[in-house]
């Protein structure tokens, strides 16, 4: 049993390393270093303004530390077929789950240590403490996380019997959440998108559906609004751009950052065009490829323009110089027209 689950763990790590090569490509690494440098400069300037024994600093350190407890779930590597083929070895599987707690502590402890070091300039001034504070912080968080993982492992056993379904479902969710991160950069097989109806958009879809020439526009809009991958990405990057407008004081840096986020979002939305290619019957539609491309362009134009308008309204309150405000909308439309004309046709 030890060899079996060790092999599964190694195979999963190999799969992650394969995707990481595509995630941390040359362009992304350069951008990451630039963003880290910019954030470090902003953070250093922020720390200089912190007063000693700052009350809100204590709240910030405690809240961020508690948030880190969310990351790092129990890794059991139990699969669907195990509840049949490993049923005679149930006691050994329960022992494996208990031993998985120690192995699952590696990532949380590293995260706690890095977080404590990053927060040390704030915590040192706010708590008026020395280097012993981050050490105690890591020990306390690691102890709490260990207890939580122990409780998680115990929840799989009831009346001395292993709840196979719960253990399998939780492990599937854990691995899927990790692979979803990679799916933002590269195609990851085996990830099933979560579909939600979102009734608030039903009337909009019905209006599009009434016109028979809008067949692909209806299909693309339906896929965009009801699939968690695209709509969730749209909302997350949109919120990130709004936070950037509030957090960064320099209008030029904010403008460049927002336009870059919009470009990344546009790049991620273009694959919607292939979302229904697996349906063989759509090839008999009396619709030309040009109309299909036009429908996608209409969807991208509406969604990106709406986001740019929201960003422009927010910029009215955050930019000191009004001259930079319309550049968000102008730049987004320019990228939209230039990039889609090359990639969608």
């Amino acid at each position: 049993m030890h060899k079996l689950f060790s092999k599964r763990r190694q195979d999963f790590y190999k799969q992650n390393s394969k995707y990481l090569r595509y995630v941390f490509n040359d362009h992304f690494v350069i951008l990451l270093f630039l963003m880290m440098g910019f954030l470090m400069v902003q953070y250093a300037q922020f720390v200089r303004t912190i007063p000693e024994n700052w009350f809100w600093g204590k709240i910030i350190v405690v809240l961020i530390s508690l948030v880190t407890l969310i990351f790092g779930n129990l890794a059991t590597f139990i699969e669907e077929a195990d509840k049949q083929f490993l049923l005679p070895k149930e006691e050994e599987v329960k022992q494996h789950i208990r031993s998985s707690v120690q192995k699952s502590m590696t990532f949380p402890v590293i995260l706690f240590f890095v977080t404590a070091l990053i927060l040390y300039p704030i915590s040192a001034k706010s708590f008026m403490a020395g280097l012993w504070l981050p050490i105690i912080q890591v020990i306390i968080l690691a102890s709490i996380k260990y207890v939580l993982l122990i409780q998680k492992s115990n929840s799989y056993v009831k009346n001395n019997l292993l709840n196979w379904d719960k253990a399998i479902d939780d492990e599937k969710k854990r691995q899927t959440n990790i692979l979803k991160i990679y799916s933002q950069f590269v195609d990851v097989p085996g990830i099933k998108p979560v579909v939600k109806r979102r009734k608030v958009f039903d009337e909009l879809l019905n209006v599009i559906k009434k016109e028979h020439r809008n067949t692909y526009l209806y299909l693309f809009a339906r896929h965009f609004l009801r699939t968690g991958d695209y709509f969730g990405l749209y909302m997350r990057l949109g919120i990130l751009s709004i936070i950037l407008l509030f957090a960064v004081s320099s209008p030029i840096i904010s403008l460049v950052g927002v336009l870059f986020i919009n470009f990344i979002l546009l790049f991620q939305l273009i694959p919607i065009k292939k979302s229904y290619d697996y349906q063989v019957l759509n090839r008999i539609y009396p619709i030309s490829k040009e109309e299909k491309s036009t429908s996608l362009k209409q969807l991208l134009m509406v969604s990106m323009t709406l986001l740019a308008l929201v960003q422009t309204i927010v910029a009215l309150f955050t930019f000191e110089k009004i001259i930079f405000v319309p550049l968000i909308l102008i730049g987004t439309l320019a990228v939209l027209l230039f990039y889609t004309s090359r990639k969608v046709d």
Side-chain angles (χ1 to χ4, degrees), residues 1-14 76-77 96 99-100 103:
M1 298 300 294
H2 176 73
K3 291 181 180 179
L4 173 64
F5 287 105
S6 296
K7 185 178 184 303
R8 290 182 182 178
R9 183 180 293 106
Q10 292 173 4
D11 291 341
F12 187 70
Y13 291 159
K14 286 181 181 178
T76 61
F77 296 97
H96 158 72
S99 64
S100 297
K103 296 182 178 67

Side-chain angles (χ1 to χ4, degrees), residues 142-153:
S143 302
I144 296 174
K145 188 64 178 181
Y146 185 78
V147 173
L148 293 175
L149 292 179
I150 287 289
Q151 293 178 347
K152 185 72 172 179
S153 64

Side-chain angles (χ1 to χ4, degrees), residues 35-94:
M35 291 296 296
M36 287 178 61
F38 167 73
L39 291 175
M40 289 172 63
V41 172
Q42 294 289 324
Y43 185 60
Q45 294 177 354
F46 170 72
V47 170
R48 294 191 187 98
T49 63
I50 296 177
E52 294 185 352
N53 198 20
W54 187 34
F55 172 76
W56 290 109
K58 299 175 182 178
I59 301 296
I60 291 172
V61 171
V62 172
L63 288 179
I64 295 179
S65 299
L66 292 176
V67 168
T68 57
L69 291 172
I70 300 174
F71 303 96
N73 295 321
L74 183 64
T76 61
F77 296 97
I78 296 179
E79 298 179 357
E80 181 70 30
D82 291 347
K83 62 182 178 181
Q84 282 87 26
F85 294 99
L86 296 185
L87 186 59
K89 298 287 186 179
E90 183 171 333
E91 290 299 323
E92 295 184 33
V93 174
K94 288 192 291 185

